[in-house]
């Protein structure tokens, strides 16, 4: 995995950009849900109904994302000394439940319509609404892409992937409506609804996996660990390191939301002040490469034989 370097952004600007992107997606998703509701009632299309369910889950997901952006940005306090970044993973699990529930609703509606098919009505209105939905989704994706070029956010990245999927789903709904209007093709509309339901289930599983990775403190990619090691080894007075542990704090990119912990090995004959200066220098170099990350360094003499996390990991492997 390649970590993209970005121009430094202040904490206030980082938060402002994130909130603006989420508020935009929430507003557009709400407008689209209302228009799809009217189109679904008029046309009776299961495909449009499925798209409405997806938009409703978008509204809930974007609302949760807005709450997450607010909470995750809060600084550490007496009861949360590691900060509040895990709020993002917790809210993502709720988002996954909402998406999966939408999939169940769409699938059950599709089965019912397949067993008792009937002709669609007001198809032109339904198509116009779906075109509007595609335009709205494209706008959201564009705003999110512009934001992600300046700051990284797990919540916005996940939201963007969801809306990109909406673009394809909305296009398939238009095709479904057109084909369902043909003689003997009424079954095609509930079929597309079932396919969109499958997409919702897959999206829910993806969100769950990403959230569990954060909650289970999954290590950052090996390329990031290697970069950390290269920064440490670049200092001429270091003698090595071990027990490197990393995890995402859930508050941004790998560079702006990571917890890095390691044991730094130095010449055992250095006095305490010299060892402290070297450790501070290494810590500052890591902060320069990973701004706003939490870095903890334990300094010890080079060559010391002790119980190490690395030995436990290697034994388990």
């Amino acid at each position: 995995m390649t970590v993209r370097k970005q121009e430094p952004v202040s904490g206030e600007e980082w938060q402002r950009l994130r909130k603006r992107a989420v508020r935009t997606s929430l507003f557009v998703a709400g407008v689209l849900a209302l228009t799809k509701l009217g189109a679904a009632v008029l046309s009776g299309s299961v495909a449009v109904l499925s798209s409405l369910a997806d938009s409703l889950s978008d509204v809930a997901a974007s609302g949760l994302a807005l709450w997450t952006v607010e909470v995750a940005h809060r600084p550490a306090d007496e009861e949360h000394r590691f900060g509040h970044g895990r709020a993002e993973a917790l809210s993502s699990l709720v988002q996954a439940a909402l998406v999966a529930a939408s999939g169940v609703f769409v699938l059950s509606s599709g089965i019912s319509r397949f067993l008792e098919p009937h002709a669609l009505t007001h198809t032109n209105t339904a198509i116009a609404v779906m075109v509007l939905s595609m335009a709205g989704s494209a706008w959201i994706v564009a705003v999110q892409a512009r934001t992600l070029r300046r700051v990284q956010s797990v919540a916005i990245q996940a939201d963007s992937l969801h809306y990109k999927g909406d673009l394809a789903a909305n296009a398939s709904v238009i095709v479904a409506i057109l084909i369902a209007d043909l003689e003997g093709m009424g079954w095609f509309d509930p079929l597309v609804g079932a396919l969109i339901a499958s997409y919702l289930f897959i999206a829910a599983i993806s969100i769950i996996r990403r959230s569990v990775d954060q909650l289970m403190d999954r290590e950052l990619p090996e390329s990031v660990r290697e970069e950390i090691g290269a920064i440490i080894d670049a200092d001429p007075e270091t003698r090595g390191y071990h027990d490197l542990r990393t995890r995402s704090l859930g508050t941004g990119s790998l560079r702006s939301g990571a917890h890095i912990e390691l044991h730094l090995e130095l010449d055992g004959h250095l006095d305490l002040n010299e060892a402290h200066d070297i450790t501070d220098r290494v810590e500052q170099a890591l902060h320069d490469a990973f701004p706003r990350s939490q870095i903890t360094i334990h300094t010890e003499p080079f060559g010391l034989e002790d119980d190490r996390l690395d030995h436990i990991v290697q034994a388990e492997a």
Side-chain angles (χ1 to χ4, degrees):
M1 178 177 178
T2 301
V3 180
R4 182 176 61 186
K5 292 191 176 183
Q6 297 170 308
E7 295 181 3
V9 177
S10 68
E12 292 74 16
E13 178 70 0
W14 176 72
Q15 178 71 351
R16 186 186 69 81
L17 291 170
R18 280 163 43 101
K19 290 174 68 174
R20 184 179 66 181
V22 174
R23 284 171 176 167
T24 298
S25 65
L26 179 60
F27 171 75
V28 175
V31 172
L32 294 179
L34 290 175
T35 55
K36 288 179 183 180
L37 175 61
V41 171
L42 288 173
S43 67
S45 168
V46 174
V48 175
L49 186 64
S50 69
S51 187
L52 167 63
D54 192 25
S55 287
L56 290 175
S57 72
D58 288 343
V59 172
S62 294
L64 279 171
L66 182 59
W67 173 82
T68 297
V69 167
E70 291 281 1
V71 173
H73 189 62
R74 294 175 185 172
D77 56 31
E78 185 174 354
E79 295 182 345
H80 306 89
R81 295 180 185 267
F82 284 100
H84 298 78
R86 287 294 184 270
E88 186 166 317
L90 292 173
S91 70
S92 294
L93 290 177
V94 178
Q95 291 182 37
L98 291 172
V99 172
S102 297
V104 171
F105 171 71
V106 171
L107 185 60
S108 62
S109 298
I111 292 174
S112 175
R113 185 61 54 82
F114 185 79
L115 296 175
E116 298 181 13
H118 64 261
L120 303 183
T121 59
H122 297 83
T123 55
N124 289 338
T125 300
I127 290 174
V129 169
M130 298 316 300
V131 171
L132 175 64
S133 179
M134 290 184 67
S137 295
W139 182 31
I140 293 174
V141 170
V143 171
Q144 291 170 332
R146 187 163 61 249
T147 301
L148 290 172
R149 281 195 292 269
R150 297 198 60 193
V151 298
Q152 288 291 292
S153 166
V154 176
I156 295 176
Q157 285 173 340
D159 216 26
S160 182
L161 287 174
H162 190 69
Y163 282 107
K164 287 176 182 177
D166 286 351
L167 285 171
N170 291 333
S172 67
V173 169
I174 293 175
V175 174
I177 293 173
L178 292 174
I179 294 179
D181 261 351
L182 301 177
E183 186 68 27
M185 296 293 290
W187 54 269
F188 193 78
D189 176 59
L191 174 62
V192 171
L195 292 175
I196 296 177
S198 299
Y199 156 73
L200 292 174
F201 291 138
I202 293 173
I205 292 173
S206 175
I207 294 172
I208 290 172
R209 291 181 61 184
R210 189 163 48 245
S211 302
V212 170
D213 279 349
Q214 283 195 10
L215 292 172
M216 294 297 293
D217 291 335
R218 184 182 181 89
E219 278 289 320
L220 299 186
E222 188 61 30
S223 60
V224 177
R225 291 174 54 84
E226 290 175 355
E227 182 179 355
I228 293 171
I231 292 172
I232 297 170
D233 293 337
D235 191 296
E237 295 193 77
T238 61
R239 296 293 180 267
Y241 68 94
H242 59 270
D243 287 0
L244 171 62
R245 295 196 291 183
T246 63
R247 64 177 179 176
S248 169
L249 294 176
T251 57
S253 71
L254 302 181
R255 292 188 170 278
S256 62
H259 178 199
I260 302 170
E261 179 182 324
L262 61 98
H263 289 213
L264 181 65
E265 300 173 17
L266 300 178
D267 185 341
H269 297 93
L270 296 172
D271 65 34
L272 183 58
N273 287 326
E274 291 174 323
H276 179 267
D277 289 342
I278 297 170
T279 303
D280 270 358
R281 192 166 63 227
V282 171
E283 183 177 352
Q284 186 58 53
L286 290 172
H287 271 300
D288 291 342
F290 302 90
R292 294 193 299 277
S293 290
Q294 298 177 1
I295 300 172
T296 304
I297 300 178
H298 170 75
T299 305
E300 61 183 52
F302 172 70
L304 179 68
E305 293 294 334
D306 56 0
D307 293 332
R308 298 184 178 182
L309 175 64
D310 288 344
H311 297 159
I312 297 174
V313 173
Q314 291 170 2
E316 290 296 323

